[in-house]
Amino acid sequence: MAFAPSPIPSRTQYVLEAIKHSILTGGLTPGQPLVEAELAAGFGVSKTPVREALKTLAGTGLVVMSQFKGVTVRTVDAAMAHEVYDVRMLLEPEALRRSLARHASLEAAREALVRADEAADRAERSLANREFHRALYLPCGNPLLARMLDEVRDQAALVSTVAWAAVPSWEREAAEHREILRLALAGDADGAARALHDHIASFVQRAFPEETTHDQH
């Protein structure tokens, strides 16, 4: 057969990346409906790649599919933010410890910090920050652990996008990133892991204070 299967996946990938970029830069806002026909017309494609892209985005937690509401951009609230960041607090510091125990190169993390400092806009800075964190956990030696952290990256980026729109705090986060890298390069695995944990915890607590009304005694 002369038919090549590549055009549909490439269109799907194009639509997927475009929608994801719009969500992570605030072009598409939490709760906003994503109508297949409108998106297809906007991208100049059929509904099929749009439908496939939305399914993938639902799998990564960026959009929500509902029988009644259709597809919408995931809404970020304190509960969602703490759920995602709790996973990061549990897994990322341990992954960093393991990366350092294996004497992994941290050059990619250093380069990501430079890109974050030189970023022209919030989207570029967010991407560089994600690359920094990934460069710390990716060489941990456990592909499943790295994959689990990869799976929450987009949701974490959505949380930070919403938080930065309300309170731009990336200068503080950049300083914390530099301190984490300094400790890691110095071989202080416990110090670097602790700084990473505190960095993740302080961001989500500052941006999304937990509701305490039903915890009061």
Coordinates of all heavy atoms in Angstrom, one line a residue, residues 78 81-82 85 159-160 163-164 166-177 198-210:
A78 N -6.4 24.7 45.1 CA -5.5 24.3 46.2 C -5.4 22.8 46.3 O -4.3 22.3 46.4 CB -5.9 25.0 47.5
A81 N -3.4 21.5 43.3 CA -2.0 21.9 43.4 C -1.2 21.1 44.4 O -0.1 20.6 44.2 CB -1.9 23.4 43.7
H82 N -1.8 20.9 45.6 CA -1.2 20.2 46.6 C -1.0 18.7 46.3 O 0.0 18.1 46.7 CB -1.9 20.4 48.0 CG -1.6 21.7 48.6 ND1 -0.5 21.9 49.4 CD2 -2.2 22.9 48.5 CE1 -0.5 23.2 49.8 NE2 -1.5 23.8 49.3
Y85 N 2.0 18.6 43.8 CA 3.2 18.9 44.5 C 3.6 18.0 45.6 O 4.8 17.8 45.9 CB 3.2 20.4 45.0 CG 3.6 21.4 43.9 CD1 2.9 21.5 42.7 CD2 4.7 22.1 44.0 CE1 3.2 22.3 41.7 CE2 5.1 23.0 42.9 CZ 4.4 23.1 41.8 OH 4.8 23.9 40.8
V159 N 0.1 24.5 37.3 CA 0.0 25.1 38.6 C 0.9 26.4 38.7 O 0.4 27.4 39.1 CB 0.5 24.1 39.7 CG1 0.6 24.8 41.0 CG2 -0.5 23.0 39.8
S160 N 2.1 26.3 38.2 CA 3.0 27.4 38.2 C 2.5 28.5 37.3 O 2.7 29.7 37.6 CB 4.5 27.0 37.9 OG 4.6 26.6 36.6
A163 N -0.2 30.3 39.2 CA 0.4 31.0 40.3 C 1.2 32.2 39.9 O 1.0 33.3 40.5 CB 1.3 30.0 41.1
W164 N 2.0 32.1 38.8 CA 2.8 33.2 38.4 C 1.9 34.3 37.8 O 2.3 35.5 37.9 CB 3.8 32.8 37.3 CG 5.0 32.1 37.8 CD1 5.3 31.9 39.1 CD2 6.0 31.5 37.1 NE1 6.5 31.2 39.2 CE2 7.0 31.0 38.0 CE3 6.3 31.3 35.7 CZ2 8.1 30.3 37.6 CZ3 7.4 30.7 35.3 CH2 8.3 30.2 36.2
A166 N -0.8 35.2 39.0 CA -1.3 36.0 40.2 C -0.2 36.7 41.0 O -0.3 37.9 41.3 CB -2.1 35.0 41.1
V167 N 0.9 35.9 41.2 CA 2.0 36.5 41.9 C 3.3 36.1 41.3 O 3.8 35.0 41.4 CB 2.0 36.0 43.4 CG1 3.2 36.6 44.2 CG2 0.7 36.2 44.1
P168 N 3.9 37.0 40.4 CA 5.1 36.6 39.7 C 6.3 36.5 40.8 O 6.7 37.4 41.3 CB 5.4 37.8 38.8 CG 4.1 38.5 38.7 CD 3.4 38.3 40.0
S169 N 6.7 35.2 41.0 CA 7.7 35.0 42.0 C 8.9 34.3 41.5 O 9.6 33.6 42.2 CB 7.1 34.2 43.2 OG 6.6 33.0 42.7
W170 N 9.2 34.3 40.2 CA 10.2 33.5 39.6 C 11.6 33.9 40.0 O 12.5 33.1 40.0 CB 10.2 33.5 38.1 CG 10.1 34.8 37.4 CD1 11.1 35.7 37.2 CD2 8.9 35.4 36.8 NE1 10.6 36.9 36.6 CE2 9.3 36.7 36.3 CE3 7.6 35.0 36.7 CZ2 8.4 37.5 35.7 CZ3 6.7 35.8 36.0 CH2 7.1 37.1 35.6
E171 N 11.8 35.2 40.5 CA 13.2 35.6 40.9 C 13.5 34.8 42.2 O 14.7 34.4 42.4 CB 13.2 37.1 41.2 CG 13.2 37.9 39.9 CD 13.3 39.4 40.1 OE1 13.5 39.8 41.3 OE2 13.3 40.1 39.2
R172 N 12.6 34.6 43.1 CA 12.8 33.9 44.3 C 13.1 32.4 43.9 O 14.0 31.8 44.5 CB 11.6 33.9 45.2 CG 11.6 33.0 46.4 CD 10.5 33.2 47.4 NE 10.5 32.3 48.4 CZ 9.8 32.5 49.6 NH1 9.1 33.5 49.8 NH2 9.9 31.5 50.5
E173 N 12.3 31.8 43.0 CA 12.5 30.5 42.6 C 13.9 30.3 41.9 O 14.5 29.3 42.1 CB 11.4 30.0 41.7 CG 10.1 29.5 42.4 CD 9.0 30.5 42.2 OE1 8.6 30.8 41.1 OE2 8.5 31.0 43.3
A174 N 14.3 31.3 41.1 CA 15.6 31.2 40.5 C 16.7 31.1 41.5 O 17.7 30.4 41.3 CB 15.8 32.4 39.5
A175 N 16.6 31.9 42.6 CA 17.6 31.9 43.6 C 17.7 30.6 44.3 O 18.7 30.0 44.6 CB 17.3 33.0 44.6
E176 N 16.5 30.0 44.5 CA 16.4 28.7 45.2 C 17.0 27.6 44.2 O 17.7 26.7 44.7 CB 15.0 28.3 45.5 CG 14.4 29.2 46.6 CD 12.9 29.0 46.9 OE1 12.3 28.3 46.1 OE2 12.4 29.6 47.8
H177 N 16.8 27.7 42.9 CA 17.4 26.8 42.0 C 18.9 26.8 42.0 O 19.6 25.8 42.0 CB 16.9 27.1 40.6 CG 15.5 26.7 40.3 ND1 14.9 27.0 39.1 CD2 14.6 25.9 41.0 CE1 13.7 26.4 39.1 NE2 13.5 25.8 40.2
D198 N 12.2 21.8 50.2 CA 11.7 23.0 50.7 C 11.3 24.0 49.6 O 10.3 24.7 49.8 CB 12.8 23.7 51.6 CG 13.1 22.9 52.9 OD1 12.3 22.0 53.2 OD2 14.1 23.2 53.5
H199 N 12.0 23.9 48.5 CA 11.7 24.8 47.3 C 10.3 24.4 46.8 O 9.5 25.3 46.5 CB 12.8 24.5 46.3 CG 12.4 25.0 44.9 ND1 12.3 26.3 44.5 CD2 12.1 24.3 43.8 CE1 11.9 26.4 43.3 NE2 11.9 25.2 42.8
I200 N 10.0 23.1 46.6 CA 8.8 22.6 46.1 C 7.6 23.0 47.1 O 6.6 23.5 46.7 CB 8.8 21.1 45.8 CG1 9.8 20.8 44.7 CG2 7.4 20.6 45.4 CD1 10.1 19.3 44.6
A201 N 7.9 22.7 48.4 CA 6.9 22.9 49.4 C 6.5 24.4 49.6 O 5.3 24.7 49.7 CB 7.4 22.3 50.8
S202 N 7.5 25.2 49.6 CA 7.3 26.6 49.9 C 6.5 27.3 48.7 O 5.6 28.1 48.9 CB 8.6 27.4 50.1 OG 9.4 27.4 49.0
F203 N 6.8 26.8 47.5 CA 6.1 27.4 46.3 C 4.6 27.1 46.4 O 3.8 28.0 46.3 CB 6.7 26.9 45.0 CG 5.9 27.4 43.8 CD1 6.2 28.6 43.3 CD2 4.9 26.6 43.2 CE1 5.5 29.1 42.2 CE2 4.2 27.1 42.1 CZ 4.5 28.3 41.6
V204 N 4.3 25.9 46.6 CA 2.8 25.5 46.5 C 2.1 26.1 47.7 O 1.0 26.5 47.6 CB 2.6 24.0 46.4 CG1 3.0 23.3 47.7 CG2 1.2 23.7 46.0
Q205 N 2.8 26.1 48.9 CA 2.1 26.7 50.1 C 1.9 28.2 49.9 O 0.9 28.7 50.3 CB 3.0 26.4 51.3 CG 2.2 26.7 52.6 CD 0.9 25.9 52.8 OE1 0.9 24.7 52.6 NE2 -0.2 26.7 53.1
R206 N 2.9 28.8 49.3 CA 2.7 30.3 49.1 C 1.7 30.6 48.0 O 0.9 31.5 48.2 CB 4.1 30.8 48.6 CG 4.2 32.3 48.5 CD 5.7 32.7 48.4 NE 6.3 32.2 47.1 CZ 7.2 31.3 47.0 NH1 7.7 30.7 48.1 NH2 7.7 30.9 45.9
A207 N 1.7 29.8 47.0 CA 0.8 30.1 45.9 C -0.7 29.6 46.1 O -1.6 30.3 45.7 CB 1.3 29.5 44.6
F208 N -0.8 28.5 46.8 CA -2.1 27.9 47.1 C -2.2 27.4 48.6 O -2.0 26.3 48.9 CB -2.3 26.7 46.2 CG -2.4 27.0 44.8 CD1 -1.3 27.0 43.9 CD2 -3.6 27.4 44.2 CE1 -1.4 27.4 42.6 CE2 -3.7 27.7 42.8 CZ -2.6 27.7 42.1
P209 N -2.4 28.4 49.5 CA -2.5 28.0 50.9 C -3.6 27.0 51.1 O -4.7 27.2 50.5 CB -2.8 29.3 51.6 CG -2.4 30.4 50.7 CD -2.5 29.8 49.3
E210 N -3.3 26.0 51.8 CA -4.3 24.9 52.1 C -5.5 25.4 52.9 O -5.3 26.2 53.8 CB -3.7 23.7 52.7 CG -2.9 22.9 51.8 CD -2.4 21.6 52.5 OE1 -1.5 21.7 53.4 OE2 -2.9 20.5 52.2

